[in-house]
Amino acid sequence: MRRTELLGLLTLAAVLTGCAAPVPAQAPAPVPITQVPPSTASSVPSPEPTPSVEAAPTGCEKVIADMPPRRRLAQLVVVGVDPSNPRAAADLVRAEQIGGIFIGGNATALLRGNALSAVQAAATVPVSVAVDEEGGRVQRIDALDGDLPSARKMARTMSPDEVKALGAERGRALRARGVTVDYAPDVDVSDQPDGAVIGDRSFSPDPEVVRAYAFAFAEGLRAAGIQPVFKHFPGHGHASGDSHQGTVVTPPLATLRRDDLVPYQAIAEFDGAAVMVGHVAVPGLTAGKPASLAEPAYRLLRTDYHFDGPVITDDLGAMRAISARYPLPTAVVQALVAGADQALWSSGGRVGDVLDRLEKAASTGELTGDRIHEALLRVLNAKQAC
């Protein structure tokens, strides 16, 4: 009898007698656990099913996941606001949910009467509030809390410990008014005359003195709950010209490493700070572009100096080193693509135009999702927003 006939007869016999027909050895059929008879299943423990759904995001990942794409991009900009108009500042934050505001100029309405609380109340995610309180000719609350000496005067007349105490005192005054970030200290190494573009904003022409005093001032700010921002990487102190007025070129990178970059050598060890990248072209590094828009400048900071905190651009809107060559939305995109975590323009306005351009860059891959996510994590962590 042929094999197929034999199998047919056996199957028929099984149906008639209720016995299971034998299964050919070459074609075993696995039996799902739900089809095992009750008497058998009770003696075989069922394994727990493995969940196939990923765990819900937590911390900063959850904050990011809950943001619409445009608001993620908005977190990566810092916009100048009118210091005399608290309502306008709150309206801007409410409408666009930008990551930060910058208060410049001499008016103080935003810094009085708890005005900044309304700005924070308008924000879904806490907004950073920045000033550039260096001392000397660059300060914002001197009319409210007294004059602060210039960096050069601090180094000439005070010890580092005294400067640290002064930074803490000023930081507490800023914090009490609602400020969270200070674009200071200036770590440029310079022997320029006091009134020059850097001049007395520099602690010293000696890079070791600059490092000691700048870190002391920054430690004081940090102790008071203010985020210090070291500037202007990779060094403006020996550059030709004024980036407020036009193109600025530094000495070659090899020269900067021996002098202007020395204060950054321990920057990775200073937790809780940010770095501001300047609009200086560096021979041997930026190929003629301002450092703020040049990826090699950010790579230098991240790899050679191992800094992993947030990095912000210098002013992209009111400084002709940028504005004379790049439309504001283009400059913002280029800065973020290059490696900035936040783009600053003190002139304010054009927020919608900038965000539209950022959305386009994100949709085409010009600004990648990884770059956006990386920047968001740094920005949100710095604000303790998650």
Side-chain angles (χ1 to χ4, degrees):
M1 181 180 292
R2 289 178 299 178
R3 178 178 176 79
T4 54
E5 293 173 343
L6 175 62
L7 289 175
L9 290 174
L10 291 172
T11 301
L12 177 61
V15 170
L16 294 174
T17 63
C19 299
V23 179
Q26 69 269 28
V31 181
I33 191 70
T34 55
Q35 295 180 4
V36 176
S39 59
T40 305
S42 62
S43 63
V44 180
S46 299
E48 291 293 326
T50 301
S52 59
V53 180
E54 294 184 2
T58 59
C60 285
E61 296 293 351
K62 183 178 189 314
V63 173
I64 293 171
D66 289 345
M67 286 183 188
R70 186 177 176 96
R71 290 196 174 180
R72 296 177 192 173
L73 296 167
Q75 284 295 305
L76 309 185
V77 301
V78 178
V79 184
V81 294
D82 182 351
S84 68
N85 193 339
R87 177 175 291 183
D91 288 347
L92 171 64
V93 170
R94 184 177 298 106
E96 301 290 4
Q97 295 299 314
I98 54 177
I101 62 171
F102 169 71
I103 304 173
N106 296 317
T108 59
L110 254 176
L111 298 169
R112 292 185 282 112
N114 207 27
L116 283 167
S117 63
V119 176
Q120 292 292 357
T124 303
V125 173
V127 61
S128 65
V129 179
V131 295
D132 51 350
E133 188 77 8
E134 299 176 19
R137 54 195 160 112
V138 183
Q139 51 186 316
R140 303 301 166 203
I141 61 170
D142 48 315
L144 302 172
D145 294 300
D147 188 63
L148 196 68
S150 70
R152 184 166 288 174
K153 186 173 182 181
M154 289 183 206
R156 286 176 177 170
T157 63
M158 304 171 72
S159 70
D161 284 343
E162 289 172 327
V163 168
K164 179 180 176 180
L166 183 63
E169 179 184 2
R170 201 59 158 196
R172 288 190 294 269
L174 291 169
R175 191 74 189 184
R177 297 186 179 281
V179 175
T180 64
V181 178
D182 187 4
Y183 295 153
D186 190 315
V187 294
D188 293 318
V189 179
S190 183
D191 59 359
Q192 295 174 350
D194 283 358
V197 56
I198 298 300
D200 63 354
R201 299 169 66 190
S202 168
F203 286 98
S204 173
D206 183 333
E208 296 294 346
V209 172
V210 169
R211 177 162 55 187
Y213 277 88
F215 275 51
F217 190 78
E219 286 171 4
L221 291 173
R222 181 179 62 183
I226 298 292
Q227 180 190 54
V229 180
F230 296 101
K231 63 184 184 185
H232 307 81
F233 185 86
H236 203 308
H238 293 101
S240 62
D242 179 351
S243 53
H244 295 87
Q245 304 301 325
T247 301
V248 172
V249 180
T250 72
L253 177 59
T255 303
L256 294 185
R257 287 187 187 277
R258 295 194 299 267
D259 197 0
D260 300 70
L261 282 164
V262 169
Y264 292 94
Q265 288 175 353
I267 192 71
E269 300 168 13
F270 195 103
D271 293 330
V275 169
M276 177 180 284
V277 177
H279 304 320
V280 293
V282 182
L285 181 68
T286 67
K289 293 183 73 172
S292 55
L293 307 186
E295 189 273 339
Y298 294 93
R299 186 170 65 248
L300 177 73
L301 178 61
R302 298 295 189 195
T303 60
D304 288 33
Y305 296 93
H306 310 292
F307 182 72
D308 194 39
V311 180
I312 189 167
T313 69
D314 204 347
D315 190 346
L316 297 170
M319 301 177 74
R320 290 187 60 76
I322 298 295
S323 62
R325 299 172 61 186
Y326 305 91
L328 176 62
T330 300
V332 171
V333 169
Q334 289 197 19
L336 295 176
V337 168
D341 300 309
Q342 285 189 310
L344 161 71
W345 67 99
S346 70
S347 51
R350 303 198 65 189
V351 178
D353 292 344
V354 169
L355 294 181
D356 288 346
R357 179 68 178 85
L358 286 173
E359 283 190 309
K360 181 179 179 181
S363 69
T364 62
E366 179 184 6
L367 180 61
T368 67
D370 286 347
R371 179 80 271 279
I372 295 168
H373 191 79
E374 173 189 55
L376 271 170
L377 287 176
R378 291 196 183 107
V379 168
L380 294 173
N381 275 307
K383 295 194 290 186
Q384 299 179 349
C386 48

